[in-house]
Amino acid sequence: MSRAARAESDPAVRRVRRGRAAARLRDAVTIEDVRRIAGRRLPRAILDLLEGGAGDEVTVARNRDALRRLDLRPRALEDVSARALGTTVLGQPISMPVMLAPTGAGRLMHRTSELAVASAAAAAGTVYVQSTVSAYPLEEVAEASRRTAWFQLYVPPNRADLAPLLARVAAAGYRTLVVTIDLAALGNRERDARNQILNLPMWHPRALAQGFSRPLWGVEFLRGNVGLGAAPERGGRQSLGDTRATIATAATSVTWDDIAVLREQWDGPLVVKGVIRHDECERLVQAGVDGIVVSNHGGRQLDGVPGAIEALPAVVDAVAGRAEVLLDGGIRRGTDVVKALALGASAVLIGRPYLYGLAAAGEPGVRRVLEILRAEIDLTLALVGAASPADLTPDMVGGVDLAERRVGGAAGPLG
């Protein structure tokens, strides 16, 4: 064991390091600040896993670029002296219009992974969407969320496994089901292919080198002694050797017939995640879907598709209030959240931002990310002339063409 690794295994050293990390976290005033802290803690290959996307990562960049190009158009002379950020999504009150998206990489960021994220979301009064891919049993995550979490479903390749899984999800107390439809095959994630970190045994020299490059991360990863795969049974844990069996095992085509089966077998709200085309929304509404998440999987599946915010307005128009519309992709600022709400989203989901917080400091890091976004949303509402999310309207956003803004009309600038 190297000198650095021996030092990191010393409890006194770890306490000092945690204290320094906590101080840095308190000084973080933006999501980018938290990202930098995470970057200092994570090995390069794990940071690539978090930051990377498919192909040339054009869509990863486009999610952010499209949001940046949108202008906010403040409304003057409004009384915004008293503001409220709370809203309701599918009948569930949340304290601010930010929810935590399902991600399968939490275990690689911090050993507490889903338990920390669920607890932080509950403390903030919002929703965490627990992924099928998990280090911890979905029942334990539900308890950590105080029964406020939703469950994200990768439809099992063997459809005979679906009914027992849904029964287990319902018994654990999840009231809303989110089915991901854009993972027919795992995207071409070239950073991961080059690094090969998920395809290596834990004790392979290249895998060990990652841990030695960031000893604190390596020690914490081994201390966790849980892996990453399909959610284990209650009381169980994934072994470290299962870490290689990740999201690729969940890749399967989801069809319209599957949506019909899910609607029949699931009694609660049903949400479909991974919609980009507005012309699919009518059929989704007719199929009994209660919510639609406009998402390109964070640019991690198919490169070259529109940014999520670009697709949002046409989806909102097509749904026409018959289902709730959420946005997932590229959110880093409170201004981003306000833009999405003004264009018709009920709320947004974040993925990479809270994973930065998780990597930086576990649950306190996730809480800090939510605190930053809450403060930025509140300030943005005040400055655009809205006392609450309900006061935001499409005319408060402009400055860029959004493709197919109107379902039946040509693309054109907003406002």
Side-chain angles (χ1 to χ4, degrees), residues 363-395:
E363 182 176 342
V366 181
R367 291 191 184 210
R368 182 59 185 151
V369 164
L370 293 173
E371 289 170 359
I372 289 169
L373 285 174
R374 186 188 299 276
E376 290 187 354
I377 294 166
D378 181 64
L379 178 60
T380 304
L381 287 177
L383 296 178
V384 299
S388 74
D391 295 333
L392 296 167
T393 53
D395 63 285

Side-chain angles (χ1 to χ4, degrees), residues 5 19 39 41 46 98 106 113 132 189 221 240 271 299 343 352 366 407:
R41 183 177 182 275
I46 304 302
V98 177
S113 56
T132 298
R189 302 172 190 179
F221 185 81
L240 286 174
V271 178
L343 292 177
R352 288 182 178 95
V366 181
V407 172

Side-chain angles (χ1 to χ4, degrees), residues 129-381:
V129 186
Q130 161 68 3
S131 174
T132 298
V133 177
S134 177
Y136 291 92
L138 61 90
E139 294 84 358
E140 293 183 18
V141 179
E143 291 167 2
S145 78
R146 306 173 197 170
R147 299 290 190 279
T148 61
W150 297 1
F151 187 81
Q152 176 271 335
L153 175 71
Y154 285 126
V155 176
N158 182 355
R159 297 308 196 261
D161 296 332
L162 178 60
L165 177 57
L166 291 180
R168 184 181 167 199
V169 170
Y174 295 91
R175 65 178 296 272
T176 298
L177 186 71
V178 181
V179 56
T180 295
I181 63 172
D182 59 0
L183 202 78
L186 193 64
N188 181 26
R189 302 172 190 179
E190 295 175 0
R191 295 200 211 190
D192 298 344
R194 293 187 185 100
N195 291 325
Q196 287 290 305
I197 190 66
L198 293 179
N199 296 324
L200 298 175
M202 287 296 103
W203 306 111
H204 189 282
R206 285 179 59 190
L208 289 172
Q210 297 296 322
F212 290 144
S213 72
R214 292 291 188 274
L216 180 58
W217 176 89
V219 169
E220 287 293 294
F221 185 81
L222 293 175
R223 283 183 66 215
N225 195 32
V226 290
L228 174 64
E233 294 296 324
R234 187 180 181 90
R237 295 288 186 275
Q238 300 290 342
S239 70
L240 286 174
D242 289 331
T243 300
R244 292 172 291 147
T246 55
I247 300 174
T249 62
T252 186
S253 294
V254 179
T255 69
W256 289 103
D257 289 342
D258 291 319
I259 298 299
V261 169
L262 287 168
R263 183 65 288 174
E264 180 181 349
Q265 295 188 0
W266 181 256
D267 291 334
L270 178 63
V271 178
V272 169
K273 179 178 179 289
V275 174
I276 289 293
R277 297 176 59 114
H278 71 268
D279 54 0
E280 297 173 333
C281 294
E282 180 65 32
R283 190 172 178 184
L284 286 168
V285 171
Q286 294 301 322
V289 167
D290 302 293
I292 291 171
V293 182
V294 178
S295 172
N296 52 38
H297 215 109
R300 294 171 62 79
Q301 280 297 95
L302 178 64
D303 201 20
V305 300
I309 195 72
E310 295 175 282
L312 174 66
V315 170
V316 170
D317 285 349
V319 170
R322 295 171 294 171
E324 301 228 20
V325 179
L326 307 172
L327 178 89
D328 167 55
I331 300 296
R332 298 292 186 276
R333 287 281 192 177
T335 49
D336 299 334
V337 178
V338 168
K339 290 171 184 178
L341 300 180
L343 292 177
S346 298
V348 305
L349 293 97
I350 59 170
R352 288 182 178 95
Y354 81 73
L355 289 177
Y356 297 148
L358 183 66
E363 182 176 342
V366 181
R367 291 191 184 210
R368 182 59 185 151
V369 164
L370 293 173
E371 289 170 359
I372 289 169
L373 285 174
R374 186 188 299 276
E376 290 187 354
I377 294 166
D378 181 64
L379 178 60
T380 304
L381 287 177

